[in-house]
Every structure is written in C-alpha cells, then in structure tokens.
Amino acid sequence: MVRAVTRVHWSIDHVPTDLHWPKGRVPIELFVMIAELMPDRKDIGAMRLVNREFNSKLICYFSQQLVIHIGSELTPRVGSGLTSPGDSAFVDVTDHVLNSAIFRSFGPSIRRLALVLNLNESDIASPPIAPALQLHVAPWGIYRWPAPLEDDPNSLLERTITSMENPQGIFRMMTIATDVRELALSCEGGLGYLQGPDVNPLQPPGPPPIFGDGSVVRATDDLALKVRHKKPYMQEVMERQLAAARVDPSVSVVEMLDQLVSTEGSTLQELTREERQRAALPMSRYESRKIRPPVRNDKIRLQPDQLTETQRRFLHQHISAQQALINSFRLAMVDHGDSFTRLTKINISQLPSYHVPLMCVDSFWSKLPALNEVVLGIVPDWREMIPKSEFDIEVRQVYPTDAMEKVFELLQNHIGVQPNIKRLHFEWICGGEFAAGYVQRNWYVLPAPFLKNHRMVVDSSMENLLILPHITHLSLKNCWFVPHVFYRIMRTMSETNVLESLELETVSLSGPAIFRHIMPDRDFGSGPVLQETGPLILGQPLDMSWAHVIDMLTPGQTIRERAHAQKPGTDQPPLIIKKTLKLRRIVFKSCGYVKVPDPRFISNRRFVVQRLPPGQHRALAERIRIRRAARVVDHDDKMDEVLPYLQVSTDRHLASIVPAMDQHEITAMQTVFGFHLGWLDTYGEAFIKAAQRDGVQSPGQGRFSGTIEGDPATPDPGENAASYEYDTSDFDVAYPDEHMLPELLSCLELPFGYHSEDDHDTSAQPEVSPI
C-alpha cells in the first residue's frame, strides 16, 4: 500500500490566527536549560523581550550574574541599568548600586557578583580629564591658565574615590546579595602592556569576560578601533572648551581658535602638540634615563612608549582609584568575612602586579569559612608612574618578570597555607599565543611564579620552589617552566602532598637547563626509530622533553613501557612502572615549547634544527619558501610600522613561542597518549582567524592538546615494578646569575638604540608618516 504524502507550503497568509504562546505550560527549568546553552549574555537579554512570561522566568537567571562596572569617568554602571546622573554630580558608588532597580529587585538571587574598574585603551588615548592649561574667554581676549590641582578634596575624583574606599559599601551589598557564591574583582588598565596602534579588528583591545570562557574573541571593524585621528587630541579639547565658553554666537569656534593662536604668537600645530616622553629603561638597570630615539606622529594618540603629559596624569589618577577599590574589597572581607558563609570562590580576574601586595593579608584569606577555590589573573607591570609634581609624572619601564616575586609571596604565604582552599587557577595576562597584535602575539611569555628567587629560573632546590600543600586541583595558563623545575614541583605536590588534577593551557617548557662550564650541550635519549616498513618502534624520550616529563608524571601507560614491549625477544618480562603519585588527571591545551633569550643557563639547541623523518626536509624547506613569499614579509613590514610607538622590553626571561616540535616526540605522544596537534580540535574558527590576522600562518603549530586519565584505584604493581624518576640534584643549587649578565643585557638593548636622554636632541626628530 502506498500512502500519499501531501506537501503543505506555508506562507504568512496561511498562518492560523489562533496560534499563541502556551502561557504557564513551559516549566521554568526548561527556560534555565536553554539559557545555559546561550553563547552570549546578550542572547538571554533578547529572549526576555519575547513576552512577559519569558521575561519573568528568565530575569532570575539573568540576574544571578551581576557585574558592577565603574567607568573611566569613575561613575558606576550596574549590569544593563542606568549610569550615574552626570559627571558634575557627586556619585556615591555604593548608594547608586543599592538603589538600582536590578539590585533592589533581584539582590537575593545573585550568585556571582563582580566589581570592575578597567580602563579601555580608547580612554587612555583620549583621557576624559582637564588638560594642565585650561582655556578662558574674557571680554579682552582668550587666554590659557593652569587648571586647579587634581587632589582637591572637593573634586569629583577625590569624592568618588572616598566613596569606594568605604568597606561598609561592599558589606551592605553582600547583606542584600545573601546567596553570592562567587565574588570577582577586575581592576586593570595602564600599567600592563598596551597595544596602541598594533590592533586586530578580529580581537580588539579589551579585558576578557569576568565570568565565562576567556578564550572567546569578539570582532569589530577597523573604524571602531579609532587608532588614527584626523585631529590631535588637544585640538579637540580646545574646540570643546571654546564651544562651551562661547559668548558671541556670531563668532565660530574656528575663529576663536585662530584668535588664541594669534594671541600666543604660535601655530595651531605647535599649540596642540603635546609633549611625549619616552619610557626609560628600568631604574634597577640604570639610574639615569636611557631611552630609545623618539618619533613623532600626531595622528596616533596612544603611543605606549611615548605617553603624553595628560595621559600620564590620567593613569596616575586611576592608580589611586584602583587602590581604593581593592582596599575596600579586602577590608570588607576582613571585617565581615565570617558572615559570608556561602561564598566559595574568589575570582581576581585581572589585577596589576603593582597591587598584588594589597592582597597579601592573612586575615582576608582566612576569614571566609566556605572558600575553597581561587582564581588569579595577574597583569604584569610594564611601567611605573613616578610623580615629580602635580603635573609632572615620569614613566619608567619595569621588567615584567619582577611581578613573579610578588605573586610568589601571595601564593606561598597567604593562599597556599589555607587548608580549605583546594582549587587554584593562575594565569599571566600578557603576551603568549592568545595576545592580540603583530608584536605581542607569541611573544612576552613570563615564567610561572613558582620561584622564590625569580631570576634563578634553573635553581630546583626546594628552598627556591613554590609547593602548595593543600591544592588538589591546579590550573595554569600562559606561562613557562624550565623542564626539570616543572617536573620537581608537580612530582612533589602529587607525591608528598595532595595534587590530583592538573590543567595546563598554553603552558610551555623551555629548552633543558645547562651549566655550560661543566656540561656538554647535547641531548640524551634515543627517540623513536621510524622505519620505511613495519610498525613504529618507540625509544626513550629525550631528557627533559615534554614526552619525558609527561612519561614520568602520567597515571596511565608510559612511552618507556611501550618501548620496552617492542624490543626484540619474546621471553622478557613486561616492564611495569611504579605509580606513586596521587595525580589522576592531566589536561593539556595548546602546550609546547618556548625559546628564552638567556642562553647562559638554558639551551635552545633543540629549536635551532628540528629533527625530521627522512624525506621531509625538502618539503619543509619549500613550505617555508612559499610562506615567506606570501605573508611573512608583510608581517615584518607591519611590525616595523608599529614598533617605534610600542613599548619594548629587554627582560631576559620573556620567552617566545616556538612554532615547532620534534617529529619523533610528536609521534610518540600521539601513539601513547593520544594527543593531537594544532588548534582545529581545540579552539573555534574565530579564535584561529584572529591569530592568522596577526601573521600566524598556522595557529597551534607545534602545540599539542589532550587528556590523560588514570584509574581511580591503582593496583599494587608488586616488587618487580620499576622506578621512573629524574635526578635534579645537578641543578638543586644556587648559581652565579651575574655571570656575563651586563653583556647579555647590552645585547638585548642594542637593537633598539637605547642611549642617554641628555645625549640626544629630541627636537631634531623627523616627522613620521601616519600608519
């Protein structure tokens, strides 16, 4: 029997008029399940607009996560609520938040609460503060006069900072938001790396989301980035001031500006050009100012290595505002932490290393009874602001890795000693694979802050290492270790202590450590044998390679066991490795190697010539030739255009990503651990395209990802089990880091042309054409 099928073609005219939403029939649980699958919080907001039932059932979920933003003008904004009434009116941050409709209506349902005081680069480029000289219009003419001091106790800035300093404000919020499980703080802008003109429209400047996946990228168009401007910033400021002070409507702003130029006997270009100051090398290196040759380009407002006087004052003001918010956040927990019985997670999503000592307070971390998880995202300082007077702020460079000793102190003596804190995530927000920009991406990777003496990166003595005795789950992102240091830390935390789970995202190993005066610079380990026919025969991994380190830490099968089983002969007993570690799960996402610009104690020999299987050398050479002809030249040209305006660092321990890995090692890890290479199966298309936009032809090349999991209960291997460990004793000593250090630093500084500021006439610098 054949059943006839009737096809119905619907159109707007055929839609039944009696269709309507089944009010009250869809349970709220289904709304919540759909909302949890939404990729963006804005999508949930759009769902609320469908009808009243959608709004009523989603508003509770929507308000469970609340972010309180304090903008560059130091006025608060609560979620999607209203901002403060105006710049001229004093705003008490706490009162404004508590009086907002969202907080009044849904405070008890808030589960995640964040306080945010971040600066956008557009705010720094065009700072919303008065210049040092303000315009005044008088009957007899137009003149400029020094602006009042910024530290006036009655100024909006000082009164807003005072309101943020009151710890009772945060406590009052928490007494209403009684069900908060996660409290977050983001306080960043200006002291870390600034992109300036080196922007990527597929990954524009801006902080990562406070809650959610920080790997999500958002795109914009080139016009929205506002890197190049037709007018100098000071000309725009003057035009606004003249427009506001204009008395005679018949006189245009242009005519008034011409009158001011004539009165001062200058030109418009000279009148609107702000003095820019190069950031000198760190004071720990030179007491006198050593700078790069200055360049001029008034079309680019934010030049990170040449900030204007107004930009320097603006950043200095916001350092005080950041300190006020951090102190309030800290004191609220110290004074009332016992009452926050449901607070289980502290999320410091962004914090300049300058402010890390403010968090080194035992009474803060010990006062929260239910706290078991901490997230730390630290922005290493690239500059310090040194006030010389009210209107003179000097900028000096800071070695970014100096942040390591501050974070070590926080982890070692404050967070790590709390027995209730079991989960820890740490990441550097600077450089690496995820950093946008031609110059920053794949560069400026900092060592993990697990070293007491942060310059002794090779010293693996227990006195120099950070061991966290109570952490069961450790997550690290965007950092690097010397291989034997990483091995000893993780083995100690898992064997002697309680580490069970380890997650590593874009974490790298350097080349092996070496004391060149007593050690040969060569590899140990056979590697696999690749045959033209027959199965792959595995060999012992190279000493202190990723394959070697993972092989000694894995809770599962090892390369060494597989290699032993493949040896000729059938009568030999199987090799069984003794498993003494508590580590049961290791997750890798885009891990690989870095090259460190300090060859005195770290060998980069493995990254000079990669060993390839037979027949692949010629193919690789051809691929390199094609890439250079297609894009690499363009990439280098782009870097040359923006580099004069960007701050560079001569820090000897800022590493760069190595986009390659020994093919033998790749094969062994794929065969035994099931790892895969590249980003295609790890990150989304938008993420990959953003990296390609910065000149990375194959994002994730030389990087591996995968998960290793062991059985919950490891059977007793018996007396015949073999030990599989590495002896680090050769490097468990302090060593003379000063050896050849001046020569190394001079080599790092030489390509950038650093010189004494007094030896160079800045007025002779030519005008640089706009980018």
Side-chain angles (χ1 to χ4, degrees):
M1 177 180 180
V2 179
R3 178 175 297 176
V5 178
T6 304
R7 297 184 181 273
V8 179
H9 299 277
W10 289 96
S11 68
I12 191 66
D13 297 330
H14 292 87
V15 176
T17 57
D18 59 343
L19 288 181
H20 60 277
W21 171 253
K23 184 178 180 180
R25 296 175 60 184
V26 180
I28 190 172
E29 290 81 5
L30 187 57
F31 282 90
V32 173
M33 290 175 61
I34 296 173
E36 289 176 344
L37 296 175
M38 288 294 179
D40 196 303
R41 185 174 171 85
K42 293 180 180 179
D43 297 327
I44 305 175
M47 285 181 62
R48 292 174 52 201
L49 301 177
V50 174
N51 58 36
R52 291 183 179 180
E53 185 176 0
F54 270 71
N55 178 63
S56 63
K57 290 187 175 180
L58 284 170
I59 187 65
C60 293
Y61 176 85
F62 191 78
S63 61
Q64 285 181 0
Q65 179 175 301
L66 186 63
V67 179
I68 301 171
H69 294 271
I70 302 173
S72 60
E73 71 283 2
L74 296 179
T75 55
R77 176 169 54 85
V78 184
S80 57
L82 299 175
T83 56
S84 61
D87 291 348
S88 60
F90 168 61
V91 178
D92 186 290
V93 173
T94 303
D95 288 343
H96 179 75
V97 171
L98 294 175
N99 292 330
S100 66
I102 291 181
F103 211 85
R104 287 200 315 268
S105 302
F106 304 101
S109 65
I110 296 173
R111 299 290 184 88
R112 306 163 102 185
L113 177 65
L115 304 174
V116 179
L117 176 54
N118 289 336
L119 283 180
N120 295 321
E121 294 204 6
S122 58
D123 298 325
I124 303 174
S126 304
I129 62 171
L133 295 176
Q134 292 187 346
L135 291 179
H136 296 270
V137 179
W140 44 266
I142 303 172
Y143 66 98
R144 293 190 294 171
W145 195 256
L149 299 181
E150 295 291 349
D151 58 357
D152 180 0
N154 295 318
S155 69
L156 172 65
L157 171 68
E158 292 300 321
R159 288 184 292 169
T160 307
I161 290 176
T162 301
S163 77
M164 287 193 294
E165 284 178 334
N166 183 8
Q168 293 298 322
I170 294 180
F171 175 66
R172 287 165 59 196
M173 295 183 206
M174 297 291 286
T175 57
I176 296 177
T178 55
D179 200 26
V180 170
R181 312 295 175 86
E182 178 179 353
L183 185 60
L185 175 69
S186 180
C187 208
E188 200 281 318
L191 293 178
Y193 183 87
L194 297 174
Q195 290 182 237
D198 186 18
V199 294
N200 182 343
L202 300 182
Q203 189 178 343
I210 306 298
F211 305 117
D213 186 2
S215 300
V216 176
V217 297
R218 63 207 186 283
T220 185
D221 54 83
D222 289 293
L223 297 178
L225 296 175
K226 295 183 179 179
V227 171
R228 306 163 186 83
H229 298 261
K230 296 180 180 179
K231 297 179 182 179
Y233 168 69
M234 196 52 63
Q235 181 177 343
E236 286 188 0
V237 172
M238 289 181 176
E239 290 176 352
R240 287 198 300 267
Q241 290 182 345
L242 291 174
R246 184 172 53 180
V247 178
D248 186 356
S250 63
V251 181
S252 67
V253 171
V254 175
E255 292 173 330
M256 298 174 72
L257 195 58
D258 291 341
Q259 182 181 347
L260 176 63
V261 171
S262 176
T263 301
E264 299 210 2
S266 181
T267 64
L268 181 62
Q269 185 181 33
E270 293 175 351
L271 198 66
T272 58
R273 169 171 287 168
E274 291 187 274
E275 175 193 358
R276 293 186 178 270
Q277 183 187 83
R278 276 287 196 194
L281 284 171
M283 200 170 292
S284 58
R285 171 70 170 144
Y286 298 105
E287 290 189 7
S288 61
R289 288 181 53 83
K290 299 285 186 178
I291 63 171
R292 298 158 65 197
V295 293
R296 285 181 177 175
N297 189 335
D298 293 333
K299 303 296 184 181
I300 301 175
R301 290 186 182 175
L302 180 55
Q303 303 176 23
D305 198 43
Q306 297 189 138
L307 298 177
T308 67
E309 177 267 339
T310 308
Q311 291 168 345
R312 298 196 299 271
R313 285 194 298 117
F314 178 63
L315 290 180
H316 186 257
Q317 289 178 13
H318 266 264
I319 293 175
S320 300
Q322 292 167 3
Q323 288 176 323
L325 183 61
I326 296 168
N327 281 327
S328 178
F329 181 87
R330 182 193 64 188
L331 292 176
M333 301 299 108
V334 171
D335 295 341
H336 308 285
D338 294 337
S339 60
F340 304 144
T341 57
R342 297 191 176 185
L343 184 62
T344 61
K345 183 177 180 180
I346 292 292
N347 182 354
I348 312 295
S349 64
Q350 284 197 110
L351 184 71
S353 58
Y354 176 82
H355 297 308
V356 168
L358 296 178
M359 303 302 297
C360 294
V361 179
D362 282 337
S363 54
F364 173 87
W365 300 103
S366 62
K367 273 295 187 74
L368 302 171
L371 181 64
N372 59 37
E373 183 174 1
V374 174
V375 173
L376 282 180
I378 302 300
V379 183
D381 295 340
W382 278 64
R383 59 183 57 79
E384 62 178 337
M385 318 296 293
I386 305 173
K388 300 294 185 180
S389 66
E390 290 83 2
F391 293 105
D392 184 11
I393 309 296
E394 181 185 357
V395 177
R396 293 290 293 251
Q397 290 186 30
V398 175
Y399 289 127
T401 55
D402 287 346
M404 292 173 59
E405 56 184 351
K406 299 178 182 179
V407 180
F408 180 93
E409 165 71 16
L410 176 61
L411 294 174
Q412 169 82 355
N413 298 324
H414 302 281
I415 295 177
V417 298
Q418 305 300 327
N420 56 308
I421 298 179
K422 302 297 184 182
R423 300 175 63 88
L424 173 67
H425 171 83
F426 174 82
E427 66 178 284
W428 292 117
I429 304 177
C430 170
E433 295 180 277
F434 300 164
Y438 281 88
V439 175
Q440 186 185 194
R441 192 180 294 273
N442 284 348
W443 290 82
Y444 306 143
V445 186
L446 278 76
F450 279 65
L451 303 169
K452 184 176 182 179
N453 187 338
H454 70 290
R455 289 304 179 192
M456 308 292 282
V457 295
V458 172
D459 181 4
S460 56
S461 62
M462 293 303 296
E463 297 77 14
N464 193 44
L465 302 183
L466 171 64
I467 304 297
L468 301 167
H470 306 294
I471 297 298
T472 60
H473 173 82
L474 178 62
S475 171
L476 300 175
K477 183 177 180 179
N478 193 31
C479 56
W480 66 268
F481 292 84
V482 177
H484 73 278
V485 172
F486 173 81
Y487 163 75
R488 190 169 196 198
I489 291 173
M490 299 309 162
R491 186 172 192 92
T492 303
M493 288 182 60
S494 182
E495 186 174 43
T496 308
N497 303 116
V498 294
L499 182 64
E500 299 175 353
S501 175
L502 179 63
E503 292 189 13
L504 306 174
E505 183 171 16
T506 186
V507 173
S508 304
L509 296 183
S510 70
I514 184 172
F515 291 154
R516 296 187 180 278
H517 60 291
I518 60 174
M519 298 178 180
D521 193 0
R522 63 186 179 89
D523 280 322
F524 296 90
S526 61
V529 178
L530 297 178
Q531 305 180 116
E532 294 184 4
T533 61
L536 171 74
I537 300 178
L538 296 175
Q540 178 68 18
L542 297 177
D543 275 3
M544 289 294 98
S545 62
W546 263 120
H548 186 207
V549 172
I550 296 172
D551 216 33
M552 293 184 290
L553 298 177
T554 177
Q557 189 182 38
T558 66
I559 298 175
R560 183 178 173 186
E561 289 171 324
R562 287 282 293 271
H564 178 83
Q566 291 182 346
K567 287 182 178 180
T570 58
D571 55 347
Q572 59 180 348
L575 175 66
I576 301 176
I577 300 297
K578 184 187 299 183
K579 303 291 185 180
T580 61
L581 306 184
K582 302 178 183 69
L583 195 59
R584 309 312 305 159
R585 188 171 189 266
I586 314 176
V587 178
F588 300 91
K589 293 181 68 176
S590 192
C591 294
Y593 292 101
V594 291
K595 186 176 180 180
V596 182
D598 184 356
R600 298 172 305 151
F601 305 107
I602 298 177
S603 173
N604 291 317
R605 63 178 178 267
R606 294 177 181 171
F607 314 135
V608 176
V609 179
Q610 291 293 327
R611 299 188 305 167
L612 297 174
Q616 289 195 15
H617 293 84
R618 184 176 301 174
L620 176 63
E622 179 65 15
R623 287 200 303 270
I624 293 175
R625 185 192 66 78
I626 295 174
R627 282 187 57 216
R628 285 178 175 172
R631 283 290 303 273
V632 173
V633 173
D634 295 338
H635 174 256
D636 292 343
D637 290 345
K638 179 65 176 179
M639 289 184 66
D640 291 341
E641 286 182 351
V642 300
L643 195 58
Y645 310 101
L646 303 182
Q647 185 171 340
V648 297
S649 179
T650 57
D651 194 322
R652 62 187 182 275
H653 290 147
L654 285 184
S656 58
I657 298 293
V658 176
M661 183 179 289
D662 188 291
Q663 185 61 45
H664 295 164
E665 183 176 15
I666 293 173
T667 303
M669 292 198 296
Q670 287 176 326
T671 303
V672 178
F673 304 135
F675 292 163
H676 64 270
L677 295 180
W679 282 7
L680 289 179
D681 298 324
T682 307
Y683 299 107
E685 182 181 2
F687 208 70
I688 295 174
K689 287 184 176 180
Q692 291 173 335
R693 178 67 164 73
D694 287 329
V696 181
Q697 293 296 303
S698 301
Q701 181 176 347
R703 316 294 287 183
F704 65 90
S705 302
T707 300
I708 298 176
E709 292 186 301
D711 296 330
T714 303
D716 185 3
E719 297 180 356
N720 296 325
S723 178
Y724 193 9
E725 300 180 22
Y726 184 81
D727 183 8
T728 64
S729 60
D730 287 343
F731 302 100
D732 294 347
V733 294
Y735 54 92
D737 184 58
E738 297 79 14
H739 177 66
M740 298 292 290
L741 180 59
E743 292 81 357
L744 172 65
L745 295 178
S746 295
C747 288
L748 296 175
E749 296 162 2
L750 183 62
F752 300 108
Y754 281 100
H755 62 275
S756 176
E757 189 174 38
D758 298 333
D759 297 340
H760 200 85
D761 182 10
T762 59
S763 63
Q765 286 301 310
E767 186 85 13
V768 177
S769 59
I771 295 177

